[in-house]
Amino acid sequence: MKTFNPYPHQRAGIDWIIEHPACGLIWGMGTGKTVTTLTALDLILHDYLESGPVLVIAPKRVALDTWTTEADGWAHLSRLRVVCAVGSAGDRLRALGQIAAGRADICVINRENVVWLCDQLGKHWPFPIVVVDELSSFKNQQAKRWKALRRVRGRIRRFIGLTGTPRPNGLEDLWPEIYLMDQGERLGKTLGAFRARYLIPEKCNGPVVYSYRPKEGAEEDVYSRISDLCMSIKKDDVLQLPGQIYSDVVVRPPADLLKKYKDFEREKVLECLDDDGEIVAGTAATLTNKLLQFANGAIYDMDGQTHRLHDLKLDALEELVEQAGGDPVLILYAYQHDYDRIVERIRCRKLDSQQDIKDWNAGKIPVAIAHPASIGHGLNLQYGGHILIWFGLTWSLELYQQANERLNRPGQTSVCRIYHLVLQGTHDERVLKALERKDKGQAAAIEALRLDVLKEMGQ
């Protein structure tokens, strides 16, 4: 387990949460909001002996993986017991049962199930402490999830909002978010009152207003009013030195898909073995490609036709782009069918020409996509962004290292965040381990795979 050595801003964030019953951490991506919040919750529950339990509301992938992984991964959080209420209604009810029985301190649920949760519990709301991860997803006061949370807000003693992008579409986004913190104390009881005080209609069609713009001095006034609630830092303020932080985004396949993958894996390995149980020369690349394609969500047949298998990585990718909160993102894909499916789901621009590179470095491309071989050498991309996502891994250590270094170059002012999308239980894990060990080529990953399959067969 890891030892927590907090940065100064994390120490300040822990104190901020403890000292403010209603508060927000408006921190940029990669600044450590989750471990900071968990540390504060641990102290609140076990040192200050405040009553729990705690409800954490988060995007689905974050709810499934990040909060439980962070709680389990740090030595100082060993007292916390976290359950995940994501999945079927039965799974959610079982998690709530653990909370009711006192066998867990924190219940994590995805934001899509907030309405269900509030309806299920009704007046018997058991959570005096609520954390909303990605608070910006509650910026619409007309949304059912916002209305549901508002109904139970009076029974919540502590409310903690986390986001890096509190106002992605404008100043108006702040009102619903701040209302959930202070129930209208600072910015008014209604959105209409907020608009009348701070905004001017910008685009109208008769009496219908499509958009507003802030009045002169409105932004400064709003920020001043919420400054006692919200602690705001930019990642550049706390992560001064360029460098790289690597994060594995583990995507968990359902049992039937994993079984299908394992059957496919065994079949393909056996096709590549000679009479002595060794991988036949020339087949290793084909084997790796087939297994990585499956993990990515689609596969080519013998005729070059694409067969779609799942969208698990696409879902995770979409959430990562959303969490970037408008910071430019560079996506690296492995196969053409990866590219085709990504651009269907996410609006992005391929880095093909010199003009594309120029526009990226000028900050004109919010989401870019490229193959690692096309940006592996000689390109300077450090001025356009600091977030890189590997949708599909490569067995080539050289391609991997060179692509990662496109952003981490002289002139980069932010720590680079490099994310690996990894489908749990698949060849992704072997390739990633080989890359982490800095093994050249695919030999180590293939050897591990061969031995695993032979072991399963009792050879």
Side-chain angles (χ1 to χ4, degrees):
M1 298 179 75
K2 297 177 290 185
T3 300
F4 185 48
N5 296 308
Y7 290 101
H9 75 277
Q10 291 176 312
R11 293 193 188 95
I14 293 165
D15 292 339
W16 187 270
I17 291 173
I18 292 172
E19 294 167 5
H20 295 79
C23 68
L25 296 187
I26 304 177
W27 292 10
M29 191 177 184
T31 48
K33 294 188 290 290
T34 305
V35 67
T36 297
T37 303
L38 283 169
T39 303
L41 292 174
D42 178 62
L43 293 171
I44 288 169
L45 294 175
H46 296 113
D47 288 15
Y48 292 90
L49 301 178
E50 290 191 20
S51 60
V54 179
L55 175 69
V56 174
I57 302 167
K60 185 175 182 180
R61 184 192 56 78
V62 177
L64 276 170
D65 296 316
T66 303
W67 284 86
T68 51
T69 300
E70 287 285 289
D72 293 339
W74 296 98
H76 73 293
L77 298 177
S78 60
R79 296 182 294 184
L80 288 178
R81 300 166 299 168
V82 181
V83 293
C84 196
V86 179
S88 68
D91 292 336
R92 283 174 258 149
L93 289 171
R94 279 188 286 274
L96 292 178
Q98 293 187 60
I99 289 289
R103 293 195 295 269
D105 306 299
I106 299 175
C107 180
V108 187
I109 194 168
N110 56 309
R111 58 198 181 194
E112 293 83 1
N113 283 320
V114 168
V115 175
W116 172 87
L117 181 68
C118 294
D119 291 343
Q120 182 74 29
L121 298 175
K123 295 182 180 180
H124 304 289
W125 183 258
F127 300 105
I129 303 174
V130 172
V131 179
V132 178
D133 195 355
E134 296 302 329
L135 183 63
S136 57
S137 62
F138 284 78
K139 66 181 180 295
N140 182 2
Q141 85 287 351
Q142 295 299 327
K144 292 181 180 179
R145 69 177 71 152
W146 187 88
K147 292 179 179 179
L149 201 53
R150 181 184 184 180
R151 288 200 306 270
V152 300
R153 179 60 183 88
R155 293 188 282 276
I156 298 170
R157 185 182 70 247
R158 282 185 175 270
F159 186 96
I160 304 164
L162 311 176
T163 183
T165 55
R167 44 165 295 181
N169 300 317
L171 194 64
E172 184 175 332
D173 290 345
L174 285 175
W175 182 84
E177 300 168 15
I178 300 301
Y179 182 93
L180 291 178
M181 291 187 200
D182 70 356
Q183 298 178 273
E185 180 181 338
R186 289 163 181 78
L187 300 183
K189 296 292 185 181
T190 67
L191 180 59
F194 177 83
R195 286 170 172 167
R197 182 167 186 171
Y198 295 110
L199 305 175
I200 298 173
E202 185 175 37
K203 295 181 181 179
C204 307
N205 184 5
V208 180
V209 181
Y210 294 107
S211 64
Y212 294 84
R213 60 181 174 85
K215 294 179 180 178
E216 184 176 353
E219 295 195 5
E220 292 78 5
D221 189 15
V222 168
Y223 297 152
S224 175
R225 286 178 178 272
I226 66 175
S227 62
D228 65 324
L229 281 181
C230 300
M231 178 185 177
S232 177
I233 59 171
K234 297 179 180 178
K235 51 188 166 293
D236 295 345
D237 296 335
V238 296
L239 301 174
Q240 299 291 334
L241 296 177
Q244 295 160 316
I245 298 175
Y246 294 82
S247 299
D248 300 336
V249 180
V250 179
V251 181
R252 298 176 181 175
D256 58 339
L257 181 65
L258 185 59
K259 181 181 185 303
K260 185 177 180 181
Y261 173 86
K262 291 298 184 182
D263 292 341
F264 177 82
E265 179 185 66
R266 189 179 302 106
E267 172 190 335
K268 290 301 173 184
V269 170
L270 293 178
E271 284 181 5
C272 295
L273 295 180
D274 62 14
D275 293 338
D276 295 323
E278 300 293 330
I279 300 291
V280 179
T283 63
T286 300
L287 173 58
T288 295
N289 285 335
K290 291 295 184 184
L291 297 176
L292 292 180
Q293 285 179 51
F294 194 115
N296 289 357
I299 197 166
Y300 292 121
D301 63 19
M302 295 296 292
D303 298 321
Q305 298 299 309
T306 301
H307 298 268
R308 297 194 175 201
L309 302 171
H310 63 84
D311 289 335
L312 297 175
K313 281 195 177 183
L314 285 174
D315 295 339
L317 176 65
E318 192 172 36
E319 287 190 4
L320 277 178
V321 171
E322 177 188 346
Q323 289 174 42
D327 282 348
V329 173
L330 175 58
I331 301 168
L332 298 183
Y333 69 94
Y335 305 98
Q336 182 62 39
H337 56 61
D338 293 343
Y339 172 82
D340 294 338
R341 290 178 298 122
I342 290 169
V343 298
E344 284 179 7
R345 175 76 74 93
I346 298 171
R347 186 175 180 179
C348 51
R349 178 170 160 187
K350 193 173 185 180
L351 296 184
D352 257 344
S353 66
Q354 286 299 112
Q355 187 61 49
D356 296 329
I357 303 302
K358 183 178 179 181
D359 288 348
W360 164 262
N361 279 321
K364 297 179 180 179
I365 304 178
V367 183
I369 186 168
H371 192 280
S374 69
I375 63 167
H377 294 275
L379 288 183
N380 290 312
L381 302 176
Q382 65 268 34
Y383 303 105
H386 63 278
I387 300 172
L388 185 151
I389 303 172
W390 285 89
F391 180 83
L393 293 168
T394 174
W395 55 262
S396 170
L397 180 64
E398 181 182 13
L399 273 185
Y400 176 75
Q401 292 179 328
Q402 287 290 337
N404 289 343
E405 290 299 323
R406 293 312 95 202
L407 302 183
N408 186 39
R409 297 173 69 81
Q412 175 62 260
T413 58
S414 298
V415 171
C416 297
R417 301 287 308 199
I418 298 175
Y419 294 90
H420 311 116
L421 292 182
V422 179
L423 190 65
Q424 190 177 56
T426 71
H427 200 51
D428 277 348
E429 295 176 337
R430 295 187 180 93
V431 176
L432 184 59
K433 287 180 180 178
L435 292 170
E436 289 172 346
R437 292 194 304 265
K438 295 183 171 55
D439 290 320
K440 294 183 179 179
Q442 58 191 339
I446 288 294
E447 177 63 9
L449 172 63
R450 182 184 72 86
L451 293 175
D452 284 353
V453 171
L454 291 177
K455 185 178 181 180
E456 287 180 13
M457 298 173 59
Q459 297 184 17

